[in-house]
Amino acid sequence: MSDVRTTWRHFDFWLLGAVSILSIFSIAMIRSAIAGNITLAGYDQRQALFVIIGFGVILITTAIDYRFWASINRILYYGMAGLLGVLYVVGEAIFGSARWFETTYFDIQPSELAKIIIILALAEFFSRNMGRVNDPRIIFRSLLLTFGVVLWIILQPNLGTSIVILIIWFALLWASGLNLKMLAAFAGVGIVIPIIGYPLLADYQKNRILDFLFPDPSARHGDIYNIQQALISIGSGGWLGKGYNLGTQVQLRFLKVRHSDFIFSAMAEEFGFIGTVLIIGLLLFVIYRILRAARLARDTYGALICYGVATLVAFQALVNIGVNLRLIPATGLPLPFISYGGSAMLSLLLGIGLVQSVIIRHKSA
Amino acid sequence: MNSNANLTNNVQLWRIIVFGIAIIGVILIYLGRLFSLQILESADWVAQAEENRISEINLPTQRGIIFDRNDYILAQNIPSYNVVIIPADLPDDLGAIQEIFRQISEMINVPINLNEVSNENPYVPCRSEHGIAQIVEYGETSAPYVPVRIKCNVDRTTAMIIKEEAVDLPGVDIEIESIRDYPTGSLTAAIIGFLGPISAAEEEYYRQRNFIPDRDKVGYAGVERYFQSILSGHNGERLVEVDVGGQVLRNVVPPVDPTPGFNLRLTIDSRLQNAAESILVREIDEWNAYYGEMRMNSGVVIALNPKTGEVLAMVSYPSYENNRMARVIPQYYFKQLSEDPRNPMLNHAVGDELPAGSVFKLVTAVGALNEVVVTPEQIIKAPPKIVIEEKFSANVLNPRTREFIDWNEAGFGEIDFVNGLANSSNVYFYKLGGGFEDEIPEGLGICRLGTYARALGFGNYPGIELPLVEDGLIPDPTWKRINQGENWSSGDTYIASVGQGYIIATPLQVLLSASTIANDGELMRPTILREILDSDGNIIKSFVPDSVWDITSDPVIDIFEDPSSPGGCESKLTGEKKSVEPWVIEKVQEGMRQAVLNGTLTDEFENVNISVAGKTGTAEYCDKYANEKNLCIPGNWPTHAWTTAYAPYEDPEIVVIAFVYNGGEGATVAGPIVRQFLEAYFEIKAGDTAAQNP
C-alpha cells in the first residue's frame, strides 16, 4: 500500500516537545508541592518514573499501526469491561471500594486506561457507522457500548471519570456528524438529566454541588475551605508569583491536595499570572496539535481517535482549571500532564502515542 | 479503494473548528477570571495568605507581687496545672485513642463518657461536667489544633506524671496557668481585693493594651484594682509563621518579651492587721454573748502614723475570702456576698458614709476656739437639756421650740473647754455651734463649721490609693435647699455641732481629723503604698510623706462675713482665708488627753501605761436595716460606737479608730478595741526594737 507509508518524517516533534515540557514541569511542580509532607515524600520521583515509562509507551505506540487496535477492538473492549466488572465485584467484596489495584509500589487505576479503550472502541464504531449517526438506533447502540464500561466506573463510584467518558462519547458523536435537530434533542435531555439525576447522587456529591451554589464563607474544613484556599493561592500569586518552592500557601500546606487536584493553584501561586498563562498556552498548543492530527488523518478511525484524545485532554483541563478558579463545582479531575498520578499520566501519554501513530501514517499531501 | 470509508477521513473540518472555538471560548473566560484574581484582586488575596501564614502569639506576663511593710507576701502568683488534649495531635487509630483516654481517665478521675455537649449543657472549661470523649469531640469540631481543658487544677504530682509519660500519650499535655494567691486571705481582702475576667465593657480598652480577654485577669477590687496598670506589666508578643497545623516555624519579626508587673510594698503591717481584726471580732463576739443576741456584727479598725499618713492596719469586718475568687468567681459565693446586708465586698473603712457623732466635736472644738466663740477658760453651763427656737429664716414670729438633750441625763454643771471636750458634753457643744442666749451670743454657725470640717479632712476625697472611696458630706444651707427642698434651720446647726443630722463621713475621714490634731495641725495624705519595686526588687518609687496642709500655717479656713446669719455660705465668703492658731490645737489635744485621764475613756484605759489621748462617739443612726427591725424610735435611735485615740500623747506615732456598727455606746464598745490595739502596737514595737538591738 504505497499511500500508507510509515514514515517517522511526519512524527510531530512539536507535540512531543510540548508534552515533554509539561511532563517535566509536572515533576518539578509536584516536588515543590509535596515539600514538608512526609506521607507524600518520593511522589516526585514516582511521577518521573511514570513520565519515563510513558515516553517509552509513546514510542512503542507510535511504531504500532493504529489500525491494529481496530482489529483487536473486541478483545480490548470486552477485556476492559470484564476487568472493571471483576474488579468491582471482588473489590466490593473485599475492600468495600474498587478504585485501585494495589500493588507493592503503586496503585493502578484501570479506569484511566478505560478512557483510552473507550476512545478506541467508539472511534471504531463511529467510523463504521459514519453517516448513520442521526439514526436513534445507532446512537442507542453507541451509548450501550459506552455504558458497558462506564457502568462499573459509576458504581465504583467515580463520577468524574464517568462524565469524562460520556463527554468523549458525545464529542465523537458530534464529530461523526450529529445534526442540529439531534443536538437540540440532546440539549433538552442535558437539561432534564441533572434534575432527574440529582436525587441519585451520593451525599458527598450533592454537598459539593450545594457548596458550590451556596458557599458557607465561615467553613474551616471540607470542599469550601479547600476551594477558598485555592483562590487565596491563585490570587496571592500576582503577576510573577512568589517563586518556585516559595509559595506560602503551598509550602505551609494551607492549600490541600496541592500535588493533584489543586496543582493549578499551586502553580498559579508560585509562578503567577505569566507562568500560569504560559502553561495554559502549552496545553492549548497540545490540543491544537492533536486536532491538527485529526484533520490530517488518512481515515475516519484515526481522525476520531485523535479527536477523542483531544477531548480527553481538553475536557479534563477545562474542568480542573474551572474548579480551581471556582467557576464550576468541585470534581476530582486531574490537570492533564501536570497533576500527580501514574495511571493518568500513562494513559495520556498512551493517547499521545496513538495520535503520533495516526500522524506519521497520514496521507502525504 | 478510496470509496472504502475506512480509507478516507470523513470527519468534517468545521466540526473540529467548532470544537476548537468552544475550547478557546472557555479558556478566554478562564483567563479573565485568572486576571481578575491574580492582578485586580491581588492585594486582597495576598492579605488573606498573610493572615493564614502569620500568627500572633501573646506571651503572658507575670503580675506584680504585693508585700506588706515587712516583706510579708500579701499577693503572689502560683502555678496551677490543667490537663489538656490537642485533638489534632491524637493518634489516627481509634483503639489507640481509647487507650489514651482510658489511661488519662484513671489518672485524673474524669470519666471517658459522660453528658453529651449540647446547647442546654455547653462545654465550659474547668466548670461543666463532660466525659473526655465528649470534650475532645467538641474540641475537634470547633478548633482541632487548640488545646481543650479536660481537667483544671490537678495536683503537681499528677501533672508531673502526665508530663513524664507525654511520649506515650500523644495529644495530651499539661497547661500551666498562673493563679493569684493571697496568703493572708480574708484578713487583707478588703485592702488587696481580687482579680476577675475582663468584662465585655472593658474588652476594647484591654485589647488595645495587648491583654487577652479570655486569659488575662484584671483587678476587681482594692489594691489589685487601683494599681491594675502598675501590677499588670505588659504582655509580650511574637509574630510567627505557622503552617496549616498551627505549628510555629519561625519568628517573622524579633519577639517582644513580656515585661513583668511592678511589685508593691504596702504600708500595712500584717501583724497589726491581724491584731486589729482579732480584737475587733473578739469584742463584737463578747458583746453579742453579753446581750444574748446578734446585736452587732460588723465594724472597722484603721490605724495610721499621723506623721506620715502611712496606714498600718485597715480592717473592714466582715470581709470575704479572696482566694475563692482566684480561678473563677463562684456564682453562689458572689451571690451570697452580694445579698449579705453587711456588704462584705465593700471596704467600709473608706467606702461607707456614716454619722460621725461626738468624734466630730473635734471640728466644733477647733472652730469655736479659733473663732473665739468661746475661750478655753470660759465656764459654760451644761444642764441636762436646753431649749432653743427652731428658725428656718431670720425674724420669724412665734417660732417652734426644740429641746436638745445631753447624753448625760444629769448634765455636767458648769464646765470649761477641756472638760467639755473630755466629757463630750452635748450641751456645751450645742452652745458653741449654735450660740445660746447671752452665754454664747454668736455660735460658730454652719458655714464656719463646714470650713473647719474640711480643713480637718471631712467632706473631701482623702486621696488614699483604693477604689470606691467616698468623700462623705458636710452640709450647708445651699445643699439642704437643693437636696431636701427646705431652708437650713437653726436646729440643724445645733445638731451638726455634735456630728449628727446631715453630716456623714467615712471612718477614714474621722480618723484623719484625729490624726491632724495629733500631728499638731498637719494633715498627711493617707496612703497604703510604701514603695513600688521592679521585678528585681529595685525601688522604683520610694516613700515620701505627703502633706495635704498644715492648718496652723496654711490659709485653709474661709473667712465669712456675718457667719451665723441665715442663708447660703457662698454669698458670705469674703474670699480671704486664714489658718488656725497653734494654741487651739494644743487645747484640743489637752481635751482629748483629759478624756482618757478624766473623761469618757477613763474607765477603758485604767491601768494602761501608755499616754493616750482620745475621743469617743455614740452616733445615732436610722438606716434601712434599723428601720426594718423597727429600731428607729424617735428620741431613742440605735447607735454606732466610735472611738479614736492616739499615742504617745507627747509625740504621737500611732492614731487609731474603731467603729462598730450598731455597737451602742462609743466608749464601752469601741473604746476597748482601741485600747487593746494600742497595747498590741506597742508590744509589737517593743519586740521589733528588741530584735534590732539584741
Side-chain angles (χ1 to χ4, degrees), chain B residues 341-649:
Chain B
R342 298 174 298 176
N343 200 357
M345 304 252 264
L346 179 70
N347 183 349
H348 292 264
V350 296
D352 203 357
E353 296 172 306
L354 302 150
S358 298
V359 278
F360 190 77
K361 285 174 185 162
L362 295 176
V363 172
T364 317
V366 172
L369 287 189
N370 202 48
E371 297 291 331
V372 207
V373 170
V374 73
T375 61
E377 299 76 22
Q378 197 171 341
I379 301 297
I380 302 288
K381 291 194 198 82
K385 64 178 181 185
I386 54 169
V387 179
I388 60 117
E389 294 168 339
E390 180 88 308
K391 289 184 199 166
F392 288 88
S393 57
N395 309 320
V396 178
L397 292 172
N398 303 322
R400 211 157 50 82
T401 57
R402 186 171 163 187
E403 279 187 354
F404 288 89
I405 304 163
D406 205 295
W407 64 270
N408 187 348
E409 286 163 16
F412 290 99
E414 297 189 337
I415 46 174
D416 66 358
F417 175 82
V418 169
N419 280 315
L421 189 58
N423 290 302
S424 196
S425 164
N426 285 1
V427 168
Y428 183 87
F429 281 95
Y430 289 144
K431 288 181 174 177
L432 261 47
F436 191 72
E437 297 171 357
D438 294 336
E439 220 176 349
I440 306 285
E442 189 182 30
L444 193 56
I446 189 62
C447 298
R448 290 191 290 189
L449 195 65
T451 189
Y452 283 96
R454 277 183 280 276
L456 287 169
F458 287 98
N460 296 317
Y461 170 61
I464 193 163
E465 306 91 338
L466 287 171
L468 302 176
V469 173
E470 294 295 340
D471 52 12
L473 176 69
I474 299 302
D476 65 17
T478 310
W479 173 87
K480 192 182 176 193
R481 194 67 253 168
I482 293 168
N483 291 280
Q484 305 284 321
E486 207 182 32
N487 276 348
W488 188 264
S489 76
S490 52
D492 290 332
T493 304
Y494 284 90
I495 206 83
S497 309
V498 297
Q500 295 281 169
Y502 300 113
I503 291 178
I504 46 172
T506 64
L508 180 65
Q509 289 177 321
V510 178
L511 176 64
L512 287 180
S513 67
S515 174
T516 309
I517 302 296
N519 197 31
D520 297 333
E522 188 174 16
L523 171 60
M524 305 304 294
R525 189 179 65 79
T527 179
I528 53 164
L529 178 68
R530 195 165 163 77
E531 280 149 359
I532 298 176
L533 308 110
D534 67 15
S535 54
D536 298 325
N538 304 312
I539 293 171
I540 301 298
K541 182 179 177 292
S542 53
F543 178 67
V544 181
D546 183 9
S547 171
V548 178
W549 53 54
D550 185 340
I551 62 171
T552 61
S553 55
D554 294 326
V556 289
I557 306 295
D558 288 319
I559 299 174
F560 296 92
E561 206 176 321
D562 193 7
S564 49
S565 62
C569 296
E570 298 80 19
S571 58
K572 294 184 229 161
L573 281 171
T574 59
E576 288 168 52
K577 286 172 181 280
K578 63 179 176 186
S579 52
V580 176
E581 299 292 330
W583 66 265
V584 171
I585 305 294
E586 276 170 36
K587 271 294 164 201
V588 176
Q589 288 172 342
E590 210 178 301
M592 289 176 77
R593 175 68 179 142
Q594 202 59 35
V596 173
L597 294 176
N598 192 15
T600 50
L601 283 168
T602 309
D603 291 346
E604 313 306 332
F605 280 79
E606 230 176 344
N607 303 325
V608 174
N609 55 4
I610 313 162
S611 54
V612 180
K615 182 75 200 78
T616 58
T618 305
E620 294 181 340
Y621 77 100
C622 176
D623 61 12
K624 64 174 178 176
Y625 301 109
N627 236 332
E628 276 169 16
K629 290 182 182 169
N630 294 318
L631 292 175
C632 296
I633 304 154
N636 192 17
W637 274 8
T639 52
H640 297 317
W642 290 95
T643 294
T644 180
Y646 63 88
Y649 176 65

Side-chain angles (χ1 to χ4, degrees), chain A residues 93-158:
Chain A
I94 298 174
F95 305 109
S97 163
R99 285 172 89 140
W100 303 297
F101 275 137
E102 287 190 26
T103 65
T104 47
Y105 190 49
F106 39 72
D107 309 324
I108 297 170
Q109 284 180 275
S111 57
E112 289 295 334
L113 187 61
K115 293 172 184 170
I116 301 296
I117 302 295
I118 210 80
I119 288 171
L120 290 172
L122 287 172
E124 195 270 345
F125 178 83
F126 285 125
S127 66
R128 276 192 288 114
N129 297 288
M130 203 70 180
R132 290 194 287 157
V133 290
N134 290 309
D135 179 345
R137 280 172 302 171
I138 294 295
I139 294 175
F140 183 74
R141 276 177 61 196
S142 69
L143 194 59
L144 209 61
L145 193 68
T146 312
F147 263 86
V149 166
V150 159
L151 179 67
W152 308 111
I153 300 174
I154 291 177
L155 287 174
Q156 278 179 356
N158 186 346

Side-chain angles (χ1 to χ4, degrees), chain A residues 174 178 229 249 299 318 325, chain B residues 6 8 15 30 33 52:
Chain A
W174 160 256
L178 192 72
Q229 292 305 324
Q249 288 285 105
D299 58 12
L318 292 184
L325 293 172
Chain B
N6 284 336
T8 49
R15 287 185 181 266
Y30 284 6
R33 169 77 167 165
N52 269 345

Side-chain angles (χ1 to χ4, degrees), chain B residues 255-267:
Chain B
V256 179
D257 289 329
T259 321
F262 291 113
N263 297 340
L264 300 182
R265 185 176 287 143
L266 302 187
T267 57

Side-chain angles (χ1 to χ4, degrees), chain A residues 130 174-175 177-178 228-229 231-232 234-236 238-239 248-249 252-254 256 268 272-273 276 284 291 294-295 297-300 303-304 307 311 314 318 321-322 325-327, chain B residues 1 5-16 18-20 23-24 26-27 29-31 33-35 37-39 42 45-46 48-49 52-53 144 241-245 249:
Chain A
M130 203 70 180
W174 160 256
L178 192 72
Q228 183 64 20
Q229 292 305 324
L231 290 185
I232 293 173
I234 297 168
S236 63
W239 279 108
T248 57
Q249 288 285 105
L252 303 175
R253 309 194 299 283
F254 291 101
K256 302 294 173 188
F273 185 74
T276 310
L284 278 179
L291 289 177
R295 188 173 64 82
R298 69 178 300 277
D299 58 12
T300 307
L304 288 180
Y307 190 68
T311 306
L318 292 184
I321 298 174
L325 293 172
R326 203 177 176 273
L327 291 171
Chain B
M1 256 185 139
N6 284 336
L7 291 177
T8 49
N9 184 346
N10 292 328
V11 177
Q12 292 158 305
L13 179 62
W14 71 269
R15 287 185 181 266
I16 295 178
V18 167
F19 176 83
I23 294 172
I24 300 279
V26 176
I27 288 291
I29 294 171
Y30 284 6
L31 289 180
R33 169 77 167 165
L34 195 65
F35 187 80
L37 287 173
Q38 295 200 288
I39 310 303
S42 178
W45 296 111
V46 167
Q48 289 195 50
N52 269 345
R53 176 176 81 97
E241 188 175 81
V242 293
D243 68 11
V244 69
L249 302 173

